[in-house]
Amino acid sequence: GIIVSCARVRPRAMALRIRCSKCMDVRTVFGNSSVSGTGSRGGTIVGLGSSSPFAGFSLPTRCLGDNPQECGPQPYSVLPDDCIFVDQQTMKLQEAPEMVPTGEMPRSVLVAVERGLVDKAAPGTRVTVVAIASLFNSGGGGGGGAGAKRPNDGGGVRTTYLRVVGMEKESSTADSARFSPAEEEAFRQLSRRP
């Protein structure tokens, strides 16, 4: 297909390092909201990342240290220098015009690229992608903020996207054209003619 639009490259947290502001308990929170850590001086990172590039993090609402009653509600703060981030970019991929039946509009899909695949294709570039088709909840249920109550998490609008694992630019014949020095000189001579 053809890349129609590209968002800016932005960091995406794979693991957040958090610390309780009262007892200094340090934990690691992963994208799937699992928490690791063993006490006040830190824990170990067991695994990385979340299943979706659009998923967020849920921090523990209570301290997980030795005396959680003394720390109060929402005691954790993020330690940005100890977190793990990767580059992420979203793009819109449109099906190739020659594949669209006559009289129909070309379809497009949202694609998410990470790490070494970011900034590899500008808008207008023809690409072939290998991707995993996935869904993410894109809201759709009234006023959704951080404190919004949702009776069941299964509702809302789900949007299809492709999580790209491989991308290759399609080469056109114009890009791959090579001319010998004799042909280049013939072109120069031809351009000088009146």
Side-chain angles (χ1 to χ4, degrees):
I2 300 174
I3 299 294
V4 178
S5 65
C6 297
R8 291 187 336 208
V9 177
R10 59 189 177 92
R12 179 170 83 90
M14 299 293 283
L16 293 180
R17 196 78 162 148
I18 58 174
R19 180 176 57 207
C20 177
S21 57
K22 303 284 191 221
C23 69
M24 299 301 168
D25 178 58
V26 177
R27 304 285 172 153
T28 301
V29 180
F30 304 100
N32 60 4
S33 297
S34 64
V35 180
S36 76
T38 56
S40 62
R41 286 292 167 219
T44 58
I45 296 177
V46 183
L48 294 178
S50 66
S51 59
S52 168
F54 303 103
F57 282 84
S58 296
L59 298 181
T61 57
R62 303 189 58 174
C63 182
L64 300 173
D66 297 331
N67 296 321
Q69 296 82 8
E70 297 175 6
C71 299
Q74 306 292 338
Y76 285 103
S77 60
V78 176
L79 303 171
D81 292 337
D82 296 334
C83 298
I84 298 173
F85 296 94
V86 296
D87 290 337
Q88 176 188 4
Q89 185 178 28
T90 55
M91 302 176 181
K92 192 178 223 179
L93 180 67
Q94 184 177 23
E95 64 182 322
E98 58 271 9
M99 302 301 289
V100 179
T102 306
E104 290 189 21
M105 294 294 291
R107 295 171 291 194
S108 61
V109 66
L110 180 68
V111 298
V113 295
E114 293 179 347
R115 297 180 175 89
L117 296 174
V118 299
D119 270 346
K120 293 293 183 194
T125 306
R126 287 180 177 261
V127 295
T128 301
V129 297
V130 176
I132 301 166
S134 303
L135 296 171
F136 74 94
N137 286 338
S138 60
K149 292 184 179 179
R150 294 195 175 141
N152 62 4
D153 199 30
V157 178
R158 296 184 189 256
T159 303
T160 304
Y161 74 96
L162 298 177
R163 189 169 188 173
V164 178
V165 294
M167 180 167 50
E168 183 178 301
K169 290 183 184 178
E170 293 179 9
S171 62
S172 66
T173 55
D175 292 341
S176 61
R178 301 281 181 235
F179 300 105
S180 68
E183 289 174 320
E184 289 180 11
E185 185 57 36
F187 290 141
R188 282 192 205 97
Q189 294 296 329
L190 185 62
S191 69
R192 292 184 187 128
R193 283 186 175 170

